[in-house]
Amino acid sequence: AQSVTQPDIHITVSEGASLELRCNYSYGATPYLFWYVQSPGQGLQLLLKYFSGDTLVQGIKGFEAEFKRSQSSFNLRKPSVHWSDAAEYFCAVGAYSGNTPLVFGKGTRLSVIA
Amino acid sequence: DVKVTQSSRYLVKRTGEKVFLECVQDMDHENMFWYRQDPGLGLRLIYFSYDVKMKEKGDIPEGYSVSREKKERFSLILESASTNQTSMYLCASGTSGRAGANVLTFGAGSRLTVL
């Protein structure tokens, strides 16, 4: 079974600074990988996904993520954070074989300060 | 855009009550899911369904049941609510095919408080 670790529970960055949120997964084959964002009081929204091909994927709101097989990682990045990016971010992994649902990490809460 | 609508945003119930959480999606998705979200624990899967009248247990099904009589509707039932079921409940739907490749669309959530 697959699993996901998001090592950082809470991160604070200054507006305009760069951002990297870490995600490590455990799965025996190439997984499907996702990042979702949850604004306060809302459901989750898909930011980006990786299924195959180019390991650098672009998403909405200026986010990108890079799949690194050797490190079992799928870190989320943004070059310049905006105050509206304050939210909780979830990494998720899906198995390529079988039909089991996504497994989510425990999330990283992002705070943005002026 | 796919919409997933959860009928109640906030509910307050008493211990022992039977609770129904309703979820409706409008894009003919095959797959539907119920998650529970608690601080520090992330999202945990309660039940999911691949088709009408089909259901599969997730990671934490104890104390819950589900019903899927129509493709667009997936209900979560707490047979006898307990205080440890106080939580945020998120419904999601996903396209057919491998569940692991599903792009999920989430509802806004139902925050349940059990007193």
Side-chain angles (χ1 to χ4, degrees):
Chain A
Q2 66 269 39
S3 66
V4 181
T5 302
Q6 293 180 247
D8 304 305
I9 296 172
H10 183 207
I11 285 181
T12 300
V13 300
S14 299
E15 192 169 14
S18 63
L19 171 70
E20 182 169 29
L21 302 182
R22 296 183 291 164
C23 172
N24 294 99
Y25 69 89
S26 174
Y27 182 60
T30 300
Y32 300 118
L33 293 162
F34 306 80
W35 275 99
Y36 285 83
V37 61
Q38 184 181 34
S39 298
Q42 300 298 315
L44 280 69
Q45 178 186 18
L46 179 72
L47 276 178
L48 47 79
K49 64 183 186 292
Y50 172 78
F51 281 6
S52 65
D54 192 346
T55 56
L56 184 64
V57 294
Q58 303 296 322
I60 62 171
K61 305 184 182 186
F63 285 91
E64 67 178 26
E66 187 171 11
F67 170 54
K68 292 186 177 179
R69 184 191 306 275
S70 61
Q71 298 176 20
S72 298
S73 69
F74 189 57
N75 294 349
L76 182 72
R77 300 193 294 249
K78 187 170 184 178
S80 178
V81 169
H82 187 262
W83 64 266
S84 61
D85 294 323
E88 188 144 22
Y89 292 79
F90 292 92
C91 182
V93 59
Y96 182 78
S97 61
N99 203 26
T100 54
L102 299 186
V103 173
F104 284 84
K106 294 183 178 181
T108 297
R109 185 161 64 91
L110 173 65
S111 297
V112 180
I113 58 175
Chain B
D1 282 352
V2 177
K3 258 187 145 174
V4 177
T5 303
Q6 295 184 231
S7 55
S8 303
R9 290 297 307 271
Y10 301 94
L11 304 94
V12 179
K13 298 292 181 180
R14 298 254 177 227
T15 301
E17 279 192 76
K18 190 168 187 175
V19 181
F20 293 87
L21 300 180
E22 305 287 344
C23 175
V24 177
Q25 52 98 358
D26 67 359
M27 270 301 280
D28 204 36
H29 278 176
E30 303 286 339
N31 302 331
M32 295 188 75
F33 307 82
W34 274 107
Y35 289 90
R36 171 177 171 160
Q37 183 178 15
D38 299 287
L41 297 179
L43 274 71
R44 293 180 290 168
L45 182 65
I46 305 172
Y47 268 97
F48 58 103
S49 169
Y50 293 130
D51 202 349
V52 176
K53 298 191 185 295
M54 302 289 288
K55 61 183 179 183
E56 298 280 348
K57 292 180 181 179
D59 300 317
I60 52 165
E62 296 79 18
Y64 304 94
S65 62
V66 291
S67 171
R68 194 162 181 206
E69 296 295 320
K70 294 185 177 181
K71 191 174 186 179
E72 67 270 19
R73 187 181 298 270
F74 191 36
S75 302
L76 180 69
I77 303 156
L78 288 67
E79 296 289 344
S80 177
S82 64
T83 55
N84 63 11
Q85 293 179 309
T86 292
S87 187
M88 170 71 91
Y89 291 89
L90 294 170
C91 176
S93 72
T95 51
S96 60
R98 285 199 187 92
N102 271 205
V103 174
L104 299 182
T105 299
F106 283 84
S110 297
R111 183 166 294 283
L112 172 66
T113 301
V114 183
L115 302 177

